[in-house]
Structure formats: structure tokens, C-alpha cells
Amino acid sequence: MKNEISIGLLGMGTVGSGVATILQQHQDDLRHKLGVPVTIKKVLVKDLNKERLSSLDPVVFTTDIHEILDDSSLDIIVEVMGGIEGAKSAIESALKAGKGVVTANKDVMAQYGHELLKLADEQKCDLFYEASVAGGIPIIRTLEDGLASDRITSLMGIVNGTTNFILTKMKTDHMSYEAALAEATRLGYAEADPSADVDGLDAARKMVILSSLAFSTEVHLEDVLVRGMKEIGDGDLEIAAEFGYTMKMVGSSKKDEDGIEVSVEPVLMANSHPLASVNNEFNAVYIHGDAVGETMLYGPGAGSLPTATSVVSDIIAACRNLLLEVNGKRVHSAQHERVIKPESRRYAKYFHRLLVNDEVGVLAKITATYSNHGASLQSVIQRPAEKAGQAELVLLTHRISRQQHLDVINELAGTASVISHYRIEGEETA
Ligand SMILES: NC(=O)C1=CN([C@@H]2O[C@H](COP(=O)(O)OP(=O)(O)OC[C@H]3O[C@@H](n4cnc5c(N)ncnc54)[C@H](OP(=O)(O)O)[C@@H]3O)[C@@H](O)[C@H]2O)C=CC1
Ligand SMILES: N[C@@H](CC=O)C(=O)O
Ligand code: NA
């Protein structure tokens, strides 16, 4: 029986320093829960001269990753340094050396998760990654354990704290996009390269991880339809509000007899839906299961201590397994074949905002375009445009396929200029 668990920490930035803080401040509780102390023995950083907030002994810091990966006295490696290839290779080396691994790295888990989980299985080691999706929310554990009894049919979530923070600040404080992004970066929410946040890639990676787990299928990044924040047009947040919607960057994943569909895009969320009131850096995942019905998890999606909470909970899980000698005893292999739905089988309501010349017959031409593609309209509203002689039209469709939506948008380009277009979500529960 071990009398201490030793940790090697790869990275001491936003998340790593939170991990060190929690491990130090909660040491008594951890000792009570596990029966042994958990100690950070080595920490990898890039710059030894950087000022650190932690009270760790300076001798634990190193810039040589081999000093950590080759140290046989370390039981668990915690990867919170980010990046892809270097982090993946560190995780592989740790697993091959028989160590447990905890990571917050969604980039690696989305791209190589299936491969690494298989390796962990073969090595009889743990690989935990709760912090990789929705920072402080125990969503991975919920899907793996809490809802293990159910068959999940859909997941819809705000899974990127940075973009949710930006949208909230733009709407409620009328902050500019640039100022809100700078603030999210200052607060440690944004990725090292924030284009991953604003272009939707970070959320897409998280949806790959969640969809793979929820549907026990190997979902890949290229299966995710992604539209970033740059698609949001001037004035769209305000117009969305006029129509009873809130603009949100939403990850959505559904499964039915036709297959799986996964997307990340700005959507118009009905104000009555709980996801419409998830603000700032908070995340939420709304799950539908055959048996449970609807359930939602809510909490901080980014930031030092919230994310570190998930990392430390994973450390505790790995420690428990180590002490009980039951590491790596989880089922990771996908149960179902991967079938991705074509655009013609993905149904939703859509919001189209157009600019037209205000002349006789234009409305007839526009509505004819919808009829040509069998797309039924729920309402058409004319609004004044800035320029004389022009009018703005907002058209809301009934449920149509994504293919019909794209065909309409394509054909409309001859008659109108399409200012913006969004999927509408959340009205079913209104
Ligand atoms: N920030 C957040 O809210 C969340 C982040 N994540 C994920 O957690 C991981 C860490 O993120 P975060 O803490 O924000 O990142 P930071 O950039 O704040 O920290 C990275 C740390 O790793 C060290 N590091 C990076 N590359 C190397 C290298 N090649 N060699 C040695 N040390 C290196 C840096 O050293 P130095 O300090 O010397 O620069 C730094 O201490 C990422 O995968 C991220 O996606 C997940 C959920 C939330
Ligand atoms: N940049 C990410 C950090 C957490 O995963 C986000 O904003 O959600
Ligand atoms: Na989580």
C-alpha cells in the first residue's frame, strides 16, 4: 500500500497554478478522502524565471520534460501545458511508463482521444480528461457514470466560455468585440491562440469529445459543421432580441435512425430556453436521454480554479484507483458504427435577414424562392433599411432541412443580399 501519491505537473499557467493551489489548500481534505497525502514533486515550465503565484519550492520546477517523464517515483502525470503534438507524446510516454494521466487538453483528446484511450486500456492505466470540456462542470463523469443507464439522443450546449463571455459583454455592456475578447484573454479564459475560441474550433473539439461519449461512436473533428462568431452581422444581436431570441454560440449533437449530426454555430436561442440565460464565461450542457428526459448541467466553463477543480477531481479518481489497484478498468471502445447525417436530413427552423430593393414584386420573388425549394415560411417582416429605396426583410421558416436552407440562401443571392442567417433553437420547450 502506497503511503504517498506523487504528481508530475506539466504546465503551471492558468490551469496548472489552480491545480497547485487546490492541492495545497485542500491537502487535509484530500488526505481524509484518500488516506495518503498527494504531493506535487515536479513541475514543467517553459520559463524558469517567470514569477509564480504558487508557494511550491522552486527546486520542483524544471524545463526538461524527461526529468518528469523518466522519473519512476511519479505516479500521476497531469498535462496542463496545452498544444497538440508535444502534449500527445508526453501523454503517450507517461502511459507507456505505467503512470496515470490527467489532462485538460481538448485539442489532443478531440484529435487523438480514441487512440490514447486505447493505449491507456492496453497499459491498464487511467486517462482522465474531465477539464477538457466545460471547465468546472462534471459533464464527462455525468455521461460516463451518472447517465450510463440511459440512451442519449441529443446534447446542446454552450461549451466555450470565451465566446459566451464576449456575446454577453457585447449585449449587456455594449462592449466592442475587441474589448470583450481582450478582457476574456486577461481573465485567462481564452486559448493561447484565441482564434480557436472565436472561430468555433475549441467548441467543435469539445463536441467531438461529448458526442463520442454520448453516442459511443468515434466522432471526428471533420464531422462537425462549424461556423464561428465572425458570421454574426452588425445589429444581429439587437434584432435577435426584438424577435425574442438570444444569440448564443451553441454546440449541438443529435442522433436518430439516420445517424449523427454535430454542429457548432451562432444560433438564435428562444429566450424561454434555459440556455438563453447562460451568461459570461459560464457553460451549460442540455441533455436529452430516452429515459431521463431533459436535464441540464451548468457551471463555469473556463478559468483557473473552476477548471482546476475538475483536474483535481480526476487526480483523486486516479489516486483511488491506484490505491485499490484497479487502474484502467473502463470501457473505452465505441459500440456503434459512425454514420453522419447528410444536410438533407438535418431539420431546424431558420432566421434569414435580407436587404432588398424596395420595389414592386420583390416580395413575391423572394417568397417564390422559398416555395421553389419546398421551404415553408412562418413569417415575413419588413423593416426600414438605412438607405432610401431599400428594405430589410426578416423571414422565419418552419422546420426545413439544412439543404433546403442552403439552397434558398444560394438562390436568394440573385434577388437580395443575405445579411445573415441563423438556425433557431429552443422553441420546443417554450
Ligand atoms: N484556461 C482555461 O480556462 C482552460 C484551459 N484548458 C486547457 O488547459 C491547458 C492549459 O491551459 P492554460 O493553463 O490556460 O495555459 P497557459 O498558457 O496559461 O499555461 C501553459 C503552461 O504550460 C507551460 N508550457 C507550455 N508549453 C510548454 C513547453 N513546450 N515546455 C514547457 N512548458 C510549457 C507554460 O510555461 P510558462 O509558464 O513558463 O510559460 C505554462 O506554465 C490547455 O490545453 C487548455 O486548452 C481547459 C479548460 C479551461
Ligand atoms: N478557451 C476555453 C477554455 C476552456 O476550455 C473556453 O473559453 O471555453
Ligand atoms: Na468538465
Side-chain angles (χ1 to χ4, degrees), residues 16 42 56 58 90 105 109 139 147 149 168 184 189 239 262 278 282 294 314 325 333-334 381 387 391 423 425:
K42 283 189 178 152
L56 286 171
N105 197 321
M109 289 311 290
I139 179 68
L147 294 175
S149 53
T168 307
Y189 307 149
I239 293 180
V262 192
V278 175
F282 279 79
E294 286 170 355
D314 277 352
E325 298 180 359
S333 57
I381 293 109
K387 228 168 123 190
R423 213 176 74 218
E425 279 291 353

Side-chain angles (χ1 to χ4, degrees), residues 11-15 45-47 50 52 80 104 106 188 191 303 307:
M12 188 66 174
T14 304
V15 182
V45 290
K46 238 192 286 188
D47 179 0
K50 208 186 247 184
R52 311 277 166 191
V80 283
K106 55 263 165 157
E191 293 303 296
T307 308

